[in-house]
Amino acid sequence: MSILTPEPCKTGKKRVAALIPARAGSKRLQGKNVRVLNGHPLLAYTICAARNSGVFDAVIVSSEDEDILRIARAYGAETPFRRPEELAADHSADIGWIQHALSFLSSEGRIFDSFSILRPTSPFRQPETIRRAWQIFLSVPDADSLRAVELCKQHPGKMWVMDGALMKPLMDDGGASPPWHSSAYQTLPEIYAQNASLEIAWTRVPMEAGTIAGKKVVPFVTENWEGFDINKPEDWWLAELLIDKGLAMLPSVCLT
């Protein structure tokens, strides 16, 4: 049996794994994945949203840190392996730990048709968010992947790159008049930026093409605070404020 060509599922149901990356190293906000937010480690909200979504056949945390793995198990995630240190460095690309996780699972006879990357730094992602994304992904039969995006807050049409003593626009506006850098934001073409909320792909994409996204990527436009990402101290402070003011809701959490 190969991870590249999983056996047909007799019920027709796709076998889907949630892959949650939670390495220990973080330069901007140390220990963020297990730092306590509203009474639980940050990691817990992603595990529980995944478990409660009803989408996944397995919820798996990938980490090189034993303490993180222990916490993950306490909230109901599987930790069938420890991520190699070389795949958990500051500049390690996602493709490395994803291929490692899928290959390990395959070696254990666990074959998945699809997987979703759910990062712990998006605590306001709800089970319904995941269900909505999964249905959108399935609605495009020839898609390779799905990626969460949101409307740009800073339009690249107003961005510049340095050119010696001068600078030039980042984007070619095709000779627009007035140029994009001098136009009202509302008149510019809509451009979306990816956020960290979630990604979904068929297993064949990273294992055969060596990429997470593939060539045909479905957009998943996040709503409200679903795509909020915690990476810096000010992000943490804002998350606490949003919770305190009732402006954003965390997923329900329960220990195993």
Side-chain angles (χ1 to χ4, degrees):
M1 185 185 303
S2 166
I3 194 168
L4 305 182
T5 54
E7 290 182 344
C9 183
K10 294 180 180 179
T11 64
K13 180 182 181 297
K14 302 299 183 185
R15 289 158 295 190
V16 194
L19 301 180
I20 302 174
R23 67 186 188 89
S26 176
K27 293 293 189 292
R28 291 178 291 179
L29 185 59
Q30 292 188 355
K32 65 183 177 183
N33 287 324
V34 293
R35 186 171 177 174
V36 175
L37 178 67
N38 203 45
H40 295 279
L42 188 63
L43 174 63
Y45 298 106
T46 289
I47 292 173
C48 295
R51 291 179 61 199
N52 293 332
S53 71
V55 169
F56 304 110
D57 299 282
V59 176
I60 296 166
V61 169
S62 171
S63 179
E64 84 289 9
D65 185 83
E66 285 298 339
D67 287 336
I68 291 177
L69 295 174
R70 175 180 52 78
I71 291 169
R73 288 191 292 272
Y75 285 92
E78 294 183 53
T79 59
F81 53 80
R82 182 172 176 174
R83 193 196 304 189
E85 294 284 346
E86 64 270 19
L87 299 179
D90 288 344
H91 301 292
S92 297
D94 285 330
I95 188 67
W97 70 263
I98 290 168
Q99 289 178 332
H100 170 264
L102 294 173
S103 295
F104 181 93
L105 294 168
S106 177
S107 72
E108 297 288 307
R110 303 181 68 185
I111 311 298
F112 294 94
D113 299 281
S114 182
F115 67 93
S116 179
I117 305 172
L118 301 173
R119 303 179 196 278
T121 50
S122 291
F124 301 128
R125 177 206 314 101
Q126 299 290 328
E128 189 279 331
T129 310
I130 299 169
R131 289 192 290 269
R132 196 171 82 246
W134 177 241
Q135 291 305 314
I136 290 172
F137 180 56
L138 291 181
S139 72
V140 187
D142 63 342
D144 292 322
S145 68
L146 171 146
R147 185 168 294 229
V149 295
E150 59 190 40
L151 200 61
C152 274
K153 298 179 179 66
Q154 294 184 320
H155 199 285
K158 293 181 175 289
M159 294 181 182
W160 300 78
V161 293
M162 298 303 172
D163 185 18
L166 304 175
M167 62 182 185
K168 58 185 179 182
L170 171 67
M171 295 186 67
D172 180 2
D173 60 13
S177 182
W180 285 355
H181 57 71
S182 298
S183 299
Y185 183 96
Q186 293 81 357
T187 67
L188 298 176
E190 287 189 350
I191 293 183
Y192 291 80
Q194 67 185 46
N195 61 47
S197 181
L198 58 81
E199 297 164 58
I200 301 173
W202 298 114
T203 301
R204 61 171 172 78
V205 178
M207 301 310 291
E208 294 179 356
T211 172
I212 301 169
K215 294 183 178 180
K216 297 180 179 179
V217 184
V218 178
F220 174 66
V221 182
T222 51
E223 301 173 357
N224 301 315
W225 295 99
E226 289 176 329
F228 183 75
D229 188 37
I230 296 177
N231 278 303
K232 306 182 294 294
E234 52 265 40
D235 299 330
W236 192 275
W237 303 331
L238 179 55
E240 291 181 322
L241 178 64
L242 291 170
I243 295 165
D244 183 60
K245 298 298 183 183
L247 300 174
M249 183 180 296
L250 292 164
S252 298
V253 168
C254 60
L255 289 161
T256 57

